Amino acid sequence: MAEQIRKALVTGGSRGIGAEISKRLAKDGFFVFVNYTSNKEKAIEVVDDISKSGGQAQAIQLDVSDFQAVEEVLGKLQKEMGPLDVLVNNAGITRDSLLIRMKPEDLDATLDIDLKGAIYCTKAVAKSMMKTRKGSIIQISSVVGEMGNPGQSAYAAAKAGLIGFTKSVAKEFASRGLRVNTVTPGYIQTDMTGALTEDQKEAILRSIPLGTLGEPQDIASLVSFLASDESRYITGQTIGVNGGMYM
Ligand code: NAP
């Protein structure tokens, strides 16, 4: 199996955008590794949904902010299953506060998971991907990393960091046939945005020319394209899916 079927790892695949990306990539014919950190039940639900639809998937527990664990778990995975074709660095958290009230532990958690986690996972899979001279790595950043947002300076720093990281490794990896791109979602309906108050949602809606929040499928469609050979001439790009909120 390892040689024939294309394989994709989606970090934070147990819920929200990552769950939808996992399902979409499975529909596209990938064997999908659905990563989660604590929510095993949700990850199994995603795997079961994929199996019921005739796809193939497996849940994988891994905290992407733990460098040793990333090296060990992804090293073992690639040894057993062969190199990955696609990595989607989607795992992310928000720990919002105004800068003057920011707690160092919240800054650390945000940078560790949202930025360093993506760097660790990219580092752990790139070498074996390079040997196959193909592969697509996709970072899920945020519109907030492009335009900034009061109360989200740590999150914005992490998400903007991903954009610079992507461009650098896109240049490093291009001659080896690997492509690396960043997707910057606007406001998408998931648990993450479920925490917003009605007033906050109203204000956000006023700033979106297309007039609605996005759905996880809107992100999954672009990831599906970036994972496929249809996008073979696209690398190092930052592509917004935000209803026109930031142009
Ligand atoms: P979500 O519903 O809160 O889901 C977050 C996912 O990340 C879960 O699967 C969670 O796993 C996983 N995760 C969290 N910490 C992790 C860790 N240390 N290691 C591995 N996995 C971890 O979030 P979402 O709204 O789908 O967001 C997905 C991505 O899109 C994030 O990077 C987010 O910043 C970005 N984004 C979202 C929006 C939006 O409007 N929703 C907008 C722009 C960008 P468990 O289930 O195990 O907790």
Side-chain angles (χ1 to χ4, degrees):
M1 185 217 76
E3 283 75 42
Q4 291 131 22
I5 188 164
R6 291 175 303 158
K7 295 173 289 295
L9 166 65
V10 181
T11 70
S14 48
R15 289 185 284 123
I17 293 171
E20 205 54 44
I21 292 172
S22 298
K23 290 177 199 171
R24 178 59 194 261
L25 292 181
K27 207 170 150 201
D28 292 345
F30 286 90
F31 186 109
V32 182
F33 299 101
V34 179
N35 161 247
Y36 66 99
T37 183
S38 56
N39 228 317
K40 186 173 185 179
E41 238 171 66
K42 288 282 176 193
I44 299 286
E45 256 176 49
V46 174
V47 169
D48 286 348
D49 271 6
I50 289 173
S51 304
K52 277 184 205 139
S53 314
Q56 297 184 74
Q58 182 184 315
I60 290 209
Q61 197 284 330
L62 173 65
D63 175 353
V64 297
S65 68
D66 181 340
F67 178 75
Q68 276 314 324
V70 169
E71 289 284 304
E72 278 167 32
V73 172
L74 299 190
K76 187 164 175 274
L77 180 81
Q78 293 169 97
K79 206 169 167 199
E80 286 171 3
M81 310 293 283
L84 293 172
D85 297 276
V86 169
L87 166 67
V88 185
N89 282 312
N90 164 81
I93 60 159
T94 50
R95 293 271 177 88
D96 299 343
S97 71
L98 296 172
L99 181 67
I100 52 170
R101 293 197 201 119
M102 185 189 286
K103 297 195 182 94
E105 57 269 30
D106 289 338
L107 173 62
D108 285 344
T110 306
L111 294 176
D112 286 352
I113 295 171
D114 295 10
L115 177 59
K116 287 160 78 178
I119 296 176
Y120 295 161
C121 291
T122 302
K123 178 170 157 51
V125 307
K127 206 168 167 186
S128 73
M129 265 187 178
M130 280 179 193
K131 288 191 186 137
T132 68
R133 303 198 70 81
K134 64 183 169 61
S136 175
I137 298 172
I138 301 153
Q139 324 287 5
I140 306 299
S141 171
S142 168
V143 68
V144 168
E146 298 174 294
M147 61 188 282
N149 198 24
Q152 288 201 300
S153 58
Y155 181 72
K159 294 299 189 180
L162 274 180
I163 296 173
F165 170 68
T166 296
K167 291 179 184 180
S168 302
V169 288
K171 287 181 179 178
E172 283 183 29
F173 298 168
S175 64
R176 310 294 186 93
L178 267 59
R179 298 181 298 107
V180 194
N181 290 288
T182 306
V183 175
T184 50
Y187 284 84
I188 309 295
Q189 276 174 331
T190 67
D191 293 346
M192 196 176 264
T193 45
L196 295 168
T197 65
E198 280 311 309
D199 283 353
Q200 284 171 320
K201 272 194 193 155
E202 288 285 310
I204 289 164
L205 284 175
R206 280 195 295 275
S207 70
I208 302 175
L210 287 180
T212 57
L213 297 189
E215 299 288 341
Q217 293 91 308
D218 298 320
I219 309 306
S221 306
L222 176 59
V223 170
S224 163
F225 170 67
L226 290 173
S228 78
D229 290 341
E230 296 287 302
S231 59
R232 68 193 182 114
Y233 201 53
I234 300 177
T235 196
Q237 301 305 304
T238 307
I239 308 176
V241 183
N242 60 35
M245 185 180 191
Y246 177 76
M247 299 183 187

